[in-house]
Amino acid sequence: MPAKRDDGTMKGELMLSHPFSLNELYSNVSFDFEKNVLTCLADGPECFQRGMGAKGKATTGVKRVYSLTDSGNLQYDMYLAVDGGELVHHLHAELVK
């Protein structure tokens, strides 16, 4: 496990595989211990692998942010870029404790 850095964060990597024929590699992952926030950023087309069954627009960027609220709920926000565009807010969810 990586060591906690002086700025209060821990760095890592994340790989996600989806059943709709897409793999995502997040080489920019950090956890902020003070804020209880996990941020995962895949910010280029080299971070995505499309299978032969993939349909629709090409994913070219994703940012995922997981955080704990003061009441202990888990919040999730996802930002998505397609076909070389900018990251835009795509979805929000909250898991109530």
Side-chain angles (χ1 to χ4, degrees):
M1 179 173 229
K4 191 171 168 183
R5 300 174 68 188
D6 290 338
D7 65 358
T9 64
M10 183 180 289
K11 301 289 184 184
E13 291 184 343
L14 174 68
M15 176 75 167
L16 298 176
S17 293
H18 300 284
F20 45 86
S21 201
L22 178 69
N23 293 324
E24 303 175 24
L25 173 61
Y26 295 85
S27 56
N28 186 353
V29 176
S30 66
F31 184 78
D32 186 322
F33 287 88
E34 190 172 306
K35 298 177 183 176
N36 279 328
V37 175
L38 176 67
T39 303
C40 308
L41 180 63
D43 58 354
E46 67 280 358
C47 298
F48 304 94
Q49 180 184 39
R50 289 171 57 103
M52 293 187 310
K55 296 183 169 104
K57 297 179 180 181
T59 303
T60 53
V62 176
K63 179 180 177 182
R64 298 173 186 270
V65 181
Y66 303 85
S67 60
L68 290 177
T69 66
D70 292 337
S71 60
N73 296 342
L74 177 63
Q75 284 188 341
Y76 169 68
D77 285 282
M78 180 180 173
Y79 302 81
L80 179 65
V82 294
D83 291 338
E86 297 293 317
L87 286 170
V88 294
H89 192 258
H90 181 65
L91 63 89
H92 171 84
E94 185 168 339
L95 180 62
V96 178
K97 190 173 182 182

